[in-house]
Every structure is written in structure tokens, then in C-alpha cells.
Amino acid sequence: MSLCTQTRFAAALADPAVAVPPGLTAWNGLQPQRRFAVYRNNVVVGLTGAIASRFPAAQTIVGEAFFSAMAAEFIRVHPPRSPLLLSYGDDFADFVERFEPANDIAYLPDVIRLEAARGKAYHAADVAPLDAAKLAALPPERLADLVFVPHPSLSILRSPHPLVTIWAMNAGEAELRSIEDWTAEDAMVARPHMTVEVRRMPPGGAVFLQALASGERLATAVEHAIENASAFDLSANLAGALQTGAFIAFH
Amino acid sequence: MKNSIATLALAGSLASALATIAAPAAFAAENNEKCYGVAMKGQNDCAAGKHDCAGKSTMDFDKGSFKLVPAGTCTSMKTPDGHGMLMPA
């Protein structure tokens, strides 16, 4: 197939308004239009299924009908660029942010970002997290200059919405109920062993981890965290980072 | 002077952080292994290639899908299609 033929075929596949490419024949002599319509439908249904399986909490929030319609529009505008469906939908959150019918649900894009981070963590390389005992053996004067290596599965998300609570309620991790205390929540996602974990960050925690993950010294990361939240608890945050396997090494 | 105070604070925080995670209840190291060929359809944890992924297996005892099981128990599991395997087939 020439590149021109392929391009025309793909364009017609993505947009039902475009005429079926000339020269198509059906094996049983029936109209190629109908066979092509089946193909078109399979493409959309298959990709909608891929998106839905990556973002189940988002689907629960808006319902199946709304989600499918939103996904179909996404698929039309952002067809896959890679045969690997596991990364398809990485830009779904940005699309939903600009998708007018979903504007009322201001927290939806962040829920989708959290689910995308979970998928990324799921497929990230298996690496054993940092053994805390190695830190205990360090002389105290080295601590301030420590630089940590983040786990390949680590993501940190900051949200102006109660992101982790909303996600947990719609992912079946917590009971559904009205949220009395509508506050900002930051999240950390990592997969230290076999299971993807989502944690709600304590005050300053996201800034602290973000600084460390971007290669800042421990002392600098602590300064950033305290600037961000005066209630920052270094001990609790270090314990949390070590327990959730946020890092794999230090130097 | 400022540096040594900062060092003391860091060392103190690290010490109490290490004490927190050394507590046995908090330290739940996972001790599972991936076991292929034992999951019923739709009950798999994950596997690359044929589907995407957890709970998407469409065959009972699919040798390409795994279930997390306690380490050391996989190969002793018997299914109608043979024993569990540590590697996909």
C-alpha cells in the first residue's frame, strides 16, 4: 500500500463524514461501505474500551454514556500514535480540561491525571526500593547533601481539589459520601513492589518529594517544604517516602 | 553554627523516621511472586502482551497471565492444565 493510500484509508477510518476510499472491495461482493462501517465501529469501540479500562474512576464519576461520548471525541481528535495502548490516553486529562460538556466537573481532569499516573506506575520497571537501613549507617554530617534517585514508578500530583478522597470513593477504595471538608489534596503514586499505591500527602509533602525527585539536596528540599507549609513534618515525610518506596538509591 | 544545627535536626528527624518504619506493624514487606497459569479468567493480576491487563484475562488458567501468590507456593499449585509456573508460557 502506498503512503498516500494508507493516509486516505486512515483518514476515512477516523471520520465517518469522509467517503470510503476508492478501490475497496468486499470478499463476498457486498457493498464495501457496510464492511468499512463495521471496521470504523470496531476501531472506536476498541479504543473506547482501552480508555475506559485506564480511567475507571473517571468513568464512574461521569457515567458510562457520558464517558463513551467523551472518549469517542478524544479518539477522533487524538488517534493513537503508537501501537502500545498502555500509554494511549496520556493526554486525555488535557483534552478533558478543554472539553466543554465536562467543564462543570472541575476535578475530573485531576482524577484522570491520577489514574494515568497509576497506569504509568503499573507498567514502570520493577526496581527494589531503597533499603532504609543504608540511611541509618550514614554519618550525620552527610545528610544535608544527600541526593535521592526517584523510583521509576513515582509520580507526585498537586491538586486544588480533594483529589485523593474523590479518587478513592470512585475507585471502590473508600465509601461514597459527601465531602464536608473540601480542601486541596496532593497525591503520591508509586509501585515499590507488586501493587500500585496512592497516598495523600501531608502538608508540604508534595513539594518536598518533588524537590528530591528533581535532584535537589535533602537540606534544600526541606527548605522548600517549610516555605510551602510551615507545618511540614520532616520525620513523618521521610518515613512516608521510605515506606512507600519513593526512592531507590542516594548519593 | 547554622550548619551544625541543621545537621542535628536532619539527623534527629531521620532517626525518628527510621524508628517509625522499623515498627513491625508498619513494615509490611510484600512477599509475593508472580504465578502464571493458575488464574481463573477475569481474576488475573496482570501480564504483558495478550490483554491490558488486570482482570482482563479471558481464559481460565491462561499460561500468559499471572496471579500474585505467597512466595514459594506457585509451583506447588495444581490446575487441570498442570502446575503453576514462575514464568509465562
Side-chain angles (χ1 to χ4, degrees):
Chain A
M1 239 199 285
S2 76
L3 187 62
C4 176
T5 312
Q6 281 186 29
T7 311
R8 209 161 24 176
F9 191 89
L13 206 52
D15 189 352
V18 174
V20 170
L24 286 189
T25 52
W27 65 275
N28 54 2
L30 291 178
Q31 287 191 339
Q33 279 83 351
R34 289 191 55 186
R35 316 303 306 163
F36 199 74
V38 171
Y39 192 3
R40 265 179 186 147
N41 187 52
N42 281 348
V43 169
V44 174
V45 170
L47 291 176
T48 305
I51 294 285
S53 70
R54 241 193 122 178
F55 305 106
Q59 190 180 34
T60 305
I61 289 170
V62 299
E64 213 168 300
F66 188 100
F67 191 88
S68 298
M70 186 163 70
E73 183 61 14
F74 172 75
I75 291 159
R76 200 178 62 78
V77 189
H78 299 260
R81 299 266 168 239
S82 149
L84 299 178
L85 284 181
L86 57 92
S87 60
Y88 186 51
D90 280 350
D91 48 358
F92 189 46
D94 295 339
F95 167 83
V96 171
E97 208 158 52
R98 295 186 307 271
F99 185 67
E100 228 182 291
N103 277 357
D104 285 348
I105 316 166
Y107 52 82
L108 189 62
D110 280 350
V111 172
I112 292 171
R113 284 188 186 100
L114 178 61
E115 297 199 286
R118 283 176 50 83
K120 191 190 127 210
Y122 201 100
H123 294 288
D126 289 336
V127 187
L130 175 61
D131 179 4
K134 284 189 186 150
L135 276 178
L138 279 178
E141 62 273 15
R142 276 205 54 199
L143 295 178
D145 290 322
L146 281 188
V147 172
F148 289 87
V149 181
H151 196 282
S153 67
L154 178 68
S155 291
I156 298 139
L157 293 111
R158 307 202 58 200
S159 175
H161 311 288
L163 171 61
V164 181
T165 306
I166 294 170
W167 170 79
M169 284 179 179
N170 290 285
E173 304 262 329
E175 204 181 317
L176 262 182
R177 61 168 99 172
S178 59
I179 300 174
E180 307 290 342
D181 184 19
W182 193 270
T183 50
E185 284 180 8
D186 300 333
M188 167 194 157
V189 178
R191 185 179 60 82
H193 300 286
M194 296 290 196
T195 316
V196 178
E197 289 172 20
V198 175
R199 283 214 180 182
R200 180 180 160 180
M201 300 303 290
V207 170
F208 179 61
L209 277 193
Q210 267 174 341
L212 287 179
S214 65
E216 299 277 12
R217 300 157 57 236
L218 178 56
T220 314
V222 172
E223 277 168 29
H224 286 320
I226 293 173
E227 267 167 40
N228 174 252
S230 53
F232 176 71
D233 180 343
L234 175 57
S235 172
N237 275 278
L238 275 176
L242 291 170
Q243 267 173 339
T244 44
F247 300 105
I248 55 175
F250 58 81
H251 51 78
Chain B
M1 188 58 196
K2 185 167 177 261
N3 271 342
S4 60
I5 292 172
T7 301
L8 272 179
L10 284 178
S13 295
L14 179 62
S16 59
L18 292 174
T20 311
I21 58 178
F27 193 73
E30 286 175 61
N31 203 13
N32 288 336
E33 62 190 4
K34 296 179 179 181
C35 190
Y36 292 85
V38 297
M40 301 299 280
K41 68 180 176 189
Q43 301 290 314
N44 65 303
D45 283 318
C46 195
K50 293 185 187 162
H51 47 74
D52 62 1
C53 211
K56 295 281 176 181
S57 170
T58 52
M59 272 168 69
D60 285 347
F61 313 121
D62 177 15
K63 294 190 189 320
S65 301
F66 70 78
K67 185 86 196 156
L68 290 178
V69 301
T73 62
C74 176
T75 50
S76 63
M77 285 183 196
K78 198 157 163 34
T79 76
D81 297 345
H83 288 278
M85 299 168 300
L86 293 172
M87 297 297 288

